């Protein structure tokens, strides 16, 4: 078994800085877990504690059911892939991949077997005699992964392994990492600040902010049911539109820059101060005027606003709409529409959306009111 358990793991530096605060995660055997968040949120520190490169201040870390808090990195049976490859430039690909096995005094035959098996998985068989300087960035990253694979560890730890690659190569290598991990079935903890990587790679995703775990779940769970404003704004591209609002009447309607919006709130979920943040994802909008009767019944929401900017991405068009009420950033709305959208700056956009597409959060603490 190669499950990894972080139980209330904390990292506190001598100057009092709390980098990771009581982080609890359970990675099941063979799971691909993504740890994601903005720079400085503590995700790399958490990974380094699992690797044994950072001392754990409090809490317990178990790998394969065994407590490993006091074990040095070499005693934890894990392999780490770094963002900078860390390859020996004077060694061939084969020697780079097999170096750790040579240091472990495995036989030449066993080293050769493992290197060739890993090279086949990584499509590096034709490059085994080349040196890193003769390879592309993506190939060098695969060599770094091969060095981890040949060790046959209990778990892989990956620290932003794609950050040094260009956009096109990142997409390609991301797909390769997912394929390789599924084939090997090795428990993997992968750190990134890129939410696209997180949503496309992981079985589950854990989102951190300021050293604190915000939410963990499948990519679909995080997208559909974010537990707070931070998760809602972090997951999704373009990010969710977030509009300040105020409850009116019996609290079933919020007054926002988008108009008076019917809220799909369960009973008892309304904040005492009446202040909310209403979220709507750009892709929830549909081009075309809303049906007046459906609007009257509360089944549709009409949007009529001038287009400030239109961005064509080939398969999609992003419309930036200026809502009434001033120049505040919160009053700029982004709608993601199909490639057929022909609206240009200066046109008026008539869009519609369903009330059940709205997300509602308490303004005071950012928590979801629909959870």
């Amino acid at each position: 078994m190669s499950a990894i358990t972080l139980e209330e793991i904390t990292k506190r530096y001598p100057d009092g800085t709390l980098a990771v605060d009581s982080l609890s995660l359970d990675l099941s055997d063979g799971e691909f877990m993504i740890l994601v968040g903005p720079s400085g949120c503590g995700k790399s520190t958490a990974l380094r504690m699992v690797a044994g490169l950072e001392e754990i201040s409090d809490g317990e870390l178990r790998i394969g059911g065994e407590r490993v808090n006091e074990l040095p990195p070499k005693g934890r049976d894990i392999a780490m892939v770094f963002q900078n490859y860390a390859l020996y430039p004077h060694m061939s690909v084969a020697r780079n991949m097999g170096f750790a096995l040579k240091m472990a005094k495995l036989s030449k035959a066993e080293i050769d077997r493992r290197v060739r098996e890993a090279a086949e998985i990584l499509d590096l068989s034709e490059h085994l005699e080349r040196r890193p300087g003769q390879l592309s960035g993506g190939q060098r990253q695969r060599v770094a992964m091969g060095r981890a694979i040949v060790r046959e560890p209990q778990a892989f730890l990956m620290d932003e392994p794609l950050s040094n690659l260009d956009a096109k190569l990142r997409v390609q290598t991301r797909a390769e990492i997912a394929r390789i991990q599924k084939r090997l079935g090795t428990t993997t903890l992968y750190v990134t600040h890129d939410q696209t990587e997180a949503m496309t790679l992981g079985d589950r995703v854990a989102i951190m902010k300021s050293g604190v775990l915000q939410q963990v779940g499948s990519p679909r769970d995080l997208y559909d049911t974010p537990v707070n404003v931070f998760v809602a704004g972090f997951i999704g591209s373009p990010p969710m539109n977030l509009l300040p609002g105020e409850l009116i009447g019996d609290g079933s309607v919020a007054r926002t820059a988008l108009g008076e919006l019917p809220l799909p709130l369960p009973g008892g979920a309304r904040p005492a101060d009446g202040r909310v943040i209403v979220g709507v994802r750009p892709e929830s909008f549909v081009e075309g005027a809303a049906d007046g009767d459906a609007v009257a019944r509360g089944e549709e929401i009409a949007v009529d606003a001038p287009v400030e900017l239109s961005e064509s991405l080939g398969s999609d068009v992003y419309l930036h709409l200026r809502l009434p009420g001033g120049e505040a950033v919160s009053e700029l709305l982004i709608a993601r529409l199909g490639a057929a959208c022909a609206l240009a700056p200066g046109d008026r956009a008539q869009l519609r959306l369903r009330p059940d597409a709205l997300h509602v959060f308490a303004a005071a603490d950012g928590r979801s009111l629909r959870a």
Side-chain angles (χ1 to χ4, degrees):
M1 293 292 290
S2 56
I4 300 176
T5 300
L6 290 75
E7 190 171 301
E8 300 290 319
I9 293 295
T10 296
K11 177 61 183 180
R12 186 180 295 102
Y13 289 103
D15 65 359
T17 300
L18 192 61
V20 178
D21 187 6
S22 300
L23 174 62
S24 293
L25 280 176
D26 285 299
L27 283 71
S28 59
D29 189 19
E31 183 174 17
F32 197 158
M33 173 75 80
I34 308 294
L35 199 55
V36 67
S39 298
C41 72
K43 57 189 184 297
S44 289
T45 301
L47 189 82
R48 290 172 63 82
M49 285 193 285
V50 176
L53 302 176
E54 288 278 3
E55 183 180 347
I56 297 171
S57 303
D58 292 299
E60 184 170 281
L61 173 66
R62 296 189 295 277
I63 299 177
E66 177 187 358
R67 176 186 164 97
V68 298
N69 288 47
E70 290 78 28
L71 286 181
K74 65 180 181 181
R76 298 190 182 194
D77 194 18
I78 53 91
M80 195 158 180
V81 179
F82 298 92
Q83 59 181 307
N84 61 357
Y85 318 137
L87 302 177
Y88 297 108
H90 63 288
M91 291 185 181
S92 67
V93 167
R95 289 181 64 198
N96 264 287
M97 290 171 63
F99 185 74
L101 304 183
K102 181 180 179 180
M103 292 297 98
K105 302 190 183 310
L106 270 67
S107 70
K108 187 176 184 305
E110 177 65 10
I111 294 172
D112 185 65
R113 180 189 69 80
R114 292 196 192 184
V115 167
R116 293 192 179 279
E117 286 182 357
E120 182 179 349
I121 292 170
L122 295 162
D123 195 23
L124 288 171
S125 297
E126 297 180 0
H127 307 295
L128 287 175
E129 299 310 314
R130 294 187 180 183
R131 293 186 178 182
Q134 298 173 292
L135 304 178
S136 68
Q139 289 168 334
R140 289 197 293 272
Q141 189 55 271
R142 276 185 276 155
V143 175
M145 290 182 62
R147 187 176 49 197
I149 289 171
V150 298
R151 294 177 56 191
E152 299 177 357
Q154 288 196 76
F156 295 138
L157 306 181
M158 300 189 182
D159 189 7
E160 307 223 28
L162 307 183
S163 61
N164 287 338
L165 305 181
D166 62 44
K168 182 178 180 180
L169 200 51
R170 267 206 309 271
V171 172
Q172 177 185 335
T173 310
R174 186 173 74 213
E176 290 174 350
I177 287 176
R179 173 182 61 81
I180 292 163
Q181 196 277 336
K182 292 300 180 188
R183 178 172 175 177
L184 297 174
T186 305
T187 307
T188 301
L189 183 59
Y190 182 111
V191 162
T192 180
H193 66 274
D194 186 329
Q195 60 98 5
T196 302
E197 280 182 36
M199 295 293 281
T200 54
L201 277 174
D203 297 320
R204 288 191 298 155
V205 179
I207 300 181
M208 292 185 68
K209 176 190 177 188
S210 303
V212 178
L213 180 66
Q214 302 294 303
Q215 185 174 0
V216 60
S218 70
R220 176 53 59 181
D221 287 341
L222 300 181
Y223 181 86
D224 288 341
T225 56
V227 298
N228 58 35
V229 166
F230 176 79
V231 175
F234 192 82
I235 295 297
S237 181
M240 182 184 289
N241 297 289
L242 298 170
L243 303 171
E246 182 181 6
L247 298 179
I248 59 176
D250 63 358
S252 61
V253 173
R255 182 183 291 120
T256 72
L258 194 56
E260 294 185 357
L261 305 178
L263 301 184
L265 288 178
R270 295 166 179 79
D273 64 3
R275 295 185 304 115
V276 295
I277 296 173
V278 179
V280 56
R281 294 206 177 274
E283 50 271 30
S284 296
F285 293 97
V286 177
E287 190 173 3
D291 179 85
D293 292 337
V295 172
R297 292 193 300 268
E299 297 171 358
E300 283 189 348
I301 297 168
V303 180
D304 186 343
V307 177
E308 190 164 283
L309 176 66
S310 176
E311 297 179 289
S312 176
L313 279 72
S315 60
D316 298 303
V317 172
Y318 296 170
L319 293 184
H320 297 247
L321 309 176
R322 176 64 63 186
L323 300 179
E327 299 298 320
V329 172
S330 63
E331 293 161 352
L332 190 65
L333 193 74
I334 299 178
R336 179 178 177 177
L337 303 174
C341 176
L343 292 168
D347 293 342
R348 287 200 74 84
Q350 290 192 318
L351 311 175
R352 62 188 186 276
L353 72 154
R354 295 180 56 84
D356 58 12
L358 300 177
H359 296 260
V360 190
F361 308 92
D365 56 13
R367 63 187 170 84
S368 173
L369 296 174
R370 293 185 60 183

